[in-house]
Amino acid sequence: MKIILKQEVSGLGTPGDVVEVKDGYGRNYLLPQGYAIPWTKGGEKQIATIKRARGAREIRDLGHANEVKAQLENLTVKLAVRAGEGGRLYGSVTPAEVADAVQKAGGPALDKRRLELPGHVKSVGDYKVQIKLHPEVAASFTLKVTAAK
């Protein structure tokens, strides 16, 4: 099945890419979740608008990605969340919360979909968070999760 990606799908492609996937994966997951649209000749025209929108918010080039990487790796992000006894959180930390915390710590605006948390963050502590800035550049920074008072 040929589809056009509307969002980045890890291991598959970026928005605007035309990819070939197994029928079940496309029909049962990618299309219902809104990650993709079926490929048609009319859909080819939508690719241009998707790529234009992606270009506006994407890291400009490899040099810019390396600048952002250097900025992020020198950053320690602190996130205060509600926690119970023993440091267990009520719920878990989401990528959107991490992206907001990076901005509050003086870092750049990040796309929450590119953040890779180390599993489910459900307790207080230090975590290594990775973000894919560019196809060739990935950065990591330390996230300190603390209990809110």
Side-chain angles (χ1 to χ4, degrees), residues 106-129:
L110 299 177
D111 186 1
K112 67 181 180 189
R113 293 181 299 259
R114 293 179 180 249
L115 284 169
E116 296 175 12
L117 298 176
H120 295 287
V121 178
K122 292 184 174 246
S123 61
V124 172
D126 292 354
Y127 297 91
K128 207 60 153 162
V129 179

Side-chain angles (χ1 to χ4, degrees), residues 14 17 23 27 29 42 48 50 61 69 73 86 88 98 112-113 117-118 121 139 145 147:
T14 58
D17 289 351
D23 290 345
R27 189 173 46 249
Y29 179 69
I50 291 171
D61 57 8
K69 177 182 178 179
E73 289 184 342
R88 295 276 301 162
V98 175
K112 67 181 180 189
R113 293 181 299 259
L117 298 176
V121 178
V145 179

Side-chain angles (χ1 to χ4, degrees), residues 17-89:
D17 289 351
V18 177
V19 293
E20 186 79 29
V21 296
K22 300 247 179 171
D23 290 345
Y25 183 51
R27 189 173 46 249
N28 297 327
Y29 179 69
L30 295 173
L31 295 175
Q33 295 292 326
Y35 294 142
I37 55 174
W39 179 87
T40 60
K41 290 185 181 180
E44 284 282 338
K45 295 176 186 168
Q46 290 180 325
I47 291 175
T49 57
I50 291 171
K51 286 190 176 185
R52 239 190 336 264
R54 180 178 71 187
R57 69 175 182 271
E58 191 176 78
I59 303 290
R60 290 186 297 277
D61 57 8
L62 188 59
H64 186 238
N66 285 325
E67 289 174 19
V68 173
K69 177 182 178 179
Q71 185 180 5
L72 280 174
E73 289 184 342
N74 293 330
L75 199 63
T76 299
V77 181
K78 293 180 182 167
L79 183 62
V81 293
R82 287 185 28 179
E85 286 199 28
R88 295 276 301 162
L89 303 183

